[in-house]
Amino acid sequence: MTSEVPVALVTGGTGQVGSVVVRFFAERGVRLLVPSRTSAHWERLRDALGPLASRVEGLTVDLADPAGGERAVAATLERFGRLDWVLCLAGGFRPGRLVETEQEVWQELLALNLWPTVSVLRAALPHLLEQGSGRIVTVGARAALDPGPGAVAYAAVKQAVVTLTLAVARECRGTDVTANCIAPATIDTPANRAAMPTADFTKWVKPEQVAALLWYLCSAEGAALNGAVIPLVGGQ
């Protein structure tokens, strides 16, 4: 990997987990581009970052559109002159058993979880391979590896993210470009606490733990991992 200051493209970086990841990486000197669907999302993140916002650029774009990934990668290269790490955190959850889950929910989950990852990786991978180095990390879910009742579409779409990552990792074999996937269980966010107020929050995965694992996978120490799917489950 380069000795220069790394540049990361982080999808989902304005979310409750993504904002923690962005802060974690910015505190360690990384420069970041964070795409979001609305400028309001970016402005909230920028204000929350305070002085660290000088290391982060925003971009309003719909990554579910195939052209969105191309715009995000092009903006990263234009603003920072390089791209080293691609963190695909964009996603969303919807519950439902199979017979309860309408086609619209499947389409929504694809638009939230899969298409942003496809569009960004499709645009970023040729650049990383030509550059000769890079790190790709995606976010699946424990439900993709061990699906339970009540979230069939979410589990299936997240499994698609896992499989996509494994396929990309195979394409990168023999290079210094790696692709790995983390598979977290329930993460301790305000939204999840509101949705499950009687749960034992102490057993949930902390956003900082997500950020630390992502950091390791991007680091020199994590360079030997390629095609890994890493469960992150806390006490669950």
Side-chain angles (χ1 to χ4, degrees):
M1 293 295 290
T2 176
S3 60
E4 296 185 46
V5 174
V7 173
L9 169 58
V10 183
T11 76
T14 61
Q16 293 178 351
V17 177
S19 60
V20 173
V21 171
V22 169
R23 175 177 291 278
F24 190 99
F25 277 61
E27 287 174 342
R28 286 154 180 79
V30 178
R31 296 176 294 174
L32 304 104
L33 185 120
V34 180
S36 59
R37 285 181 292 176
T38 72
S39 59
H41 290 154
W42 156 244
E43 290 163 4
R44 282 198 298 270
L45 174 64
R46 179 195 62 199
D47 294 345
L49 287 171
L52 289 172
S54 64
R55 309 199 65 81
V56 185
E57 294 275 351
L59 176 72
T60 303
V61 64
D62 181 6
L63 295 178
D65 183 334
E70 295 177 3
R71 283 189 57 202
V73 170
T76 306
L77 295 171
E78 178 182 346
R79 298 183 194 188
F80 295 116
R82 61 182 305 111
L83 171 61
D84 303 291
W85 303 343
V86 182
L87 308 180
C88 297
L89 314 183
F93 174 80
R94 299 291 180 270
R97 292 174 179 265
L98 180 61
V99 297
E100 304 165 345
T101 305
E102 301 294 341
Q103 184 74 12
E104 291 76 15
V105 175
W106 286 88
Q107 296 291 356
E108 181 184 12
L109 286 170
L110 286 166
L112 289 171
N113 294 280
L114 183 60
W115 298 140
T117 303
V118 170
S119 73
V120 167
L121 294 188
R122 191 168 183 270
L125 186 58
H127 168 77
L128 297 178
L129 290 172
E130 181 178 359
Q131 177 176 273
S133 64
R135 301 286 177 261
I136 294 167
V137 188
T138 66
V139 177
R142 184 174 71 168
L145 309 180
D146 183 21
V152 63
Y154 176 76
V157 171
K158 281 297 192 182
Q159 180 57 58
V161 173
V162 172
T163 302
L164 170 67
T165 309
L166 295 177
V168 171
R170 289 293 297 268
E171 293 184 16
C172 296
R173 279 188 181 177
T175 75
D176 190 31
V177 179
T178 66
N180 297 291
C181 181
I182 70 170
T186 304
I187 301 174
D188 189 3
T189 64
N192 283 337
R193 287 194 178 206
M196 294 172 276
T198 62
D200 183 353
F201 307 144
T202 65
K203 294 183 177 181
W204 288 359
V205 177
K206 306 304 178 187
E208 292 78 9
Q209 293 172 318
V210 175
L213 179 55
L214 294 173
W215 179 259
Y216 174 76
L217 291 171
C218 291
S219 71
E221 291 76 13
L225 283 171
N226 184 43
V229 181
I230 304 173
L232 189 63
V233 300
Q236 300 168 73

